[in-house]
Amino acid sequence: MNFDKELDVRGMSCPMPILKTKKSLNDMTTGQVLKIVATDAGSIKDMQSFSTQTGNTLVAHTEQNGEYTFFMQKK
Amino acid sequence: MKKMAIIASKGTLDMAYPPFILASTAAALGYEVQVFFTFYGLQLLRKDLSSVMISPLANPAMPMPVPMPVMVQMLPGMESMATLMMKQKLKKHGVASLQEVRDMCLEAEVKFVACQMTVDLFEFDKSEFLENIEYGGAATFLGFAGDTDICLFV
């Protein structure tokens, strides 16, 4: 999947993945896609919730070898 | 805009995390957030957070590497040791330091209000606290809290 910016939050626990995601999105423009790579298992639910509450679209998310990859499109 | 108000009344390392984590996350989700620090919570507004500690004493739910009788927990230095171990554990598991989550709150414009009564009660020196905070009382808190979507006491 195409993305405009990548964010590596591997090794970080709640709430840093969400806070860093928010910060990265702040520097982006509407429609751009942020790729986020995390290892925090809680981030699956948290990213979905972040998306619902902020209106940024969680386009896709995958899991492989304990790494969770999210694609978040800026509102 | 949604709003959240939190009262932070505890000043130990374990009880310091919930208000800062919730406040910074809510701010990231677009909430307007205010945290009111009262009684021991005032310790969390010090410029230097290194005196924030955790104690296994009277904290039976704290997981310990080895079971430790209360008589041992009360020995000198145990509090510093428990604090050091907890900080190492937090770091190992990728949990941000207290300083970091507090900085995230400030960066996200979470408003910190310190209880003036507590400052007077314990004769705290305001110069030891963060500069960009306000001082107020119960009515100040209620003025904001009365109109919030989430209101918590920690």
Side-chain angles (χ1 to χ4, degrees), chain B residues 115-154:
Chain B
C115 173
Q116 178 67 53
M117 180 273 275
T118 309
V119 173
D120 298 337
L121 177 68
F122 295 129
E123 298 172 20
F124 283 142
D125 180 357
K126 280 186 182 176
S127 68
E128 287 177 15
F129 295 129
L130 295 172
E131 268 135 33
N132 300 326
I133 58 172
E134 286 181 21
Y135 293 85
T140 307
F141 172 76
L142 292 170
F144 178 80
D147 193 27
T148 54
D149 301 273
I150 301 173
C151 192
L152 303 169
F153 183 93
V154 180

Side-chain angles (χ1 to χ4, degrees), chain A residues 16-36:
Chain A
M16 293 318 268
I18 290 293
L19 301 185
K20 298 253 179 202
T21 297
K22 167 69 179 169
K23 270 178 102 168
S24 294
L25 287 169
N26 282 349
D27 303 329
M28 295 168 67
T29 55
T30 303
Q32 283 191 318
V33 174
L34 175 68
K35 178 185 176 183
I36 308 139

Side-chain angles (χ1 to χ4, degrees), chain A residues 11 13 15 19 22-23 50 53, chain B residues 24-25 28-29 93-94 96 104 107:
Chain A
S13 285
L19 301 185
K22 167 69 179 169
K23 270 178 102 168
F50 175 83
Q53 292 180 72
Chain B
S24 56
T25 305
L29 292 172
H93 291 273
M104 292 299 243
E107 207 176 302

Side-chain angles (χ1 to χ4, degrees), chain B residues 2-81:
Chain B
K2 283 194 170 185
K3 293 182 183 179
M4 177 167 81
I6 302 175
I7 292 182
S9 70
K10 311 280 197 305
T12 51
L13 185 61
D14 50 343
M15 296 308 283
Y17 272 96
F20 287 141
I21 289 178
L22 287 169
S24 56
T25 305
L29 292 172
Y31 282 73
E32 182 185 346
V33 188
Q34 189 167 310
V35 187
F36 185 82
F37 297 84
T38 188
F39 278 81
Y40 313 118
L42 262 286
Q43 305 291 3
L44 309 180
L45 290 177
R46 289 190 182 282
K47 286 173 188 159
D48 177 12
L49 286 172
S50 61
S51 60
V52 175
M53 310 262 260
I54 186 169
S55 174
L57 257 190
N59 198 359
M62 184 176 165
M64 298 293 279
V66 283
M68 199 173 283
V70 171
M71 283 294 280
V72 178
Q73 290 173 17
M74 64 190 280
L75 293 173
M78 287 305 290
E79 204 171 72
S80 303
M81 196 178 85

